[in-house]
Amino acid sequence: MRRFPIAAIVAILAFAPLAFAQTKAGSSAAVVEQLKKFDHDWLDAEKRLDVAYCEKHFADSYVLVFPNGQAYTKKEWLDILRGPDHPTITFLDPEDIQVHLHGNVAILTDHTTLKGHDSKGNSMDGEFNVFRVVIKQNGQWRATGVVMNAIAAKK
């Protein structure tokens, strides 16, 4: 019976945490990319008025807060999107998406450019810093909160 050198065992144990850290970082990177894609998909669905997508991917706890302080629950926002007084969005693009993972909760921050108008024709054009919260429920990421802050016009 051959004995495994103690130095080899020590080396394996010393480098094992690095191997696990790389695996975890790799899987975290995949989740970050998945959440960035979800951010784009979710906004594209709102732009297209795809209420079915939003219904499926918004948690029951979903709350949307606009820059003027107006807040909508999931039901209220989906009723607006499916109703005759829905906004018309011609451009909606999140950029510089930052993802902060905390277990089954992720906080996404981004810079979103919006072009469109409300049902009365009032412009909704602007640039916003947006704070989004998503939660993982039953293996799926779901949107649960959004706060939009208008960026002051550049002079």
Side-chain angles (χ1 to χ4, degrees):
M1 179 180 209
R2 278 181 73 188
R3 297 179 107 203
F4 209 65
I6 297 279
I9 293 172
V10 170
I12 290 170
L13 292 175
F15 289 105
L18 294 174
F20 286 115
Q22 288 176 351
T23 302
K24 183 174 173 139
S27 64
S28 291
V31 171
V32 166
E33 289 309 309
Q34 177 187 21
L35 288 165
K36 287 181 179 184
K37 182 180 181 324
F38 176 60
D39 197 9
H40 281 279
D41 291 347
W42 156 15
L43 294 181
D44 289 345
E46 287 184 316
K47 180 180 168 189
R48 292 188 317 270
L49 303 174
D50 185 348
V51 175
Y53 179 95
C54 295
E55 179 75 43
K56 180 179 177 182
H57 291 92
F58 288 6
D60 290 339
S61 57
Y62 180 85
V63 176
L64 168 63
V65 181
F66 280 114
N68 66 2
Q70 180 67 46
Y72 296 96
T73 64
K74 175 182 178 178
K75 181 186 178 330
E76 291 168 335
W77 183 237
L78 294 180
D79 285 349
I80 289 169
L81 291 180
R82 71 170 61 93
D85 294 328
H86 64 77
T88 299
I89 300 169
T90 58
F91 185 80
L92 186 58
D93 186 35
E95 297 178 326
D96 192 26
I97 302 168
Q98 301 297 311
V99 176
H100 310 276
L101 288 170
H102 304 281
N104 287 334
V105 176
I107 297 169
L108 286 65
T109 58
D110 64 55
H111 175 104
T112 297
T113 302
L114 169 67
K115 293 185 183 196
H117 57 83
D118 66 16
S119 62
K120 296 177 179 89
N122 298 315
S123 175
M124 296 173 29
D125 293 3
E127 293 185 36
F128 304 89
N129 285 321
V130 183
F131 184 92
R132 304 178 202 279
V133 180
V134 297
I135 57 176
K136 197 166 200 177
Q137 293 179 323
N138 301 321
Q140 288 247 3
W141 288 105
R142 290 188 166 61
T144 194
V146 180
V147 177
M148 298 175 65
N149 294 297
I151 298 172
K154 298 175 181 131
K155 297 182 182 189

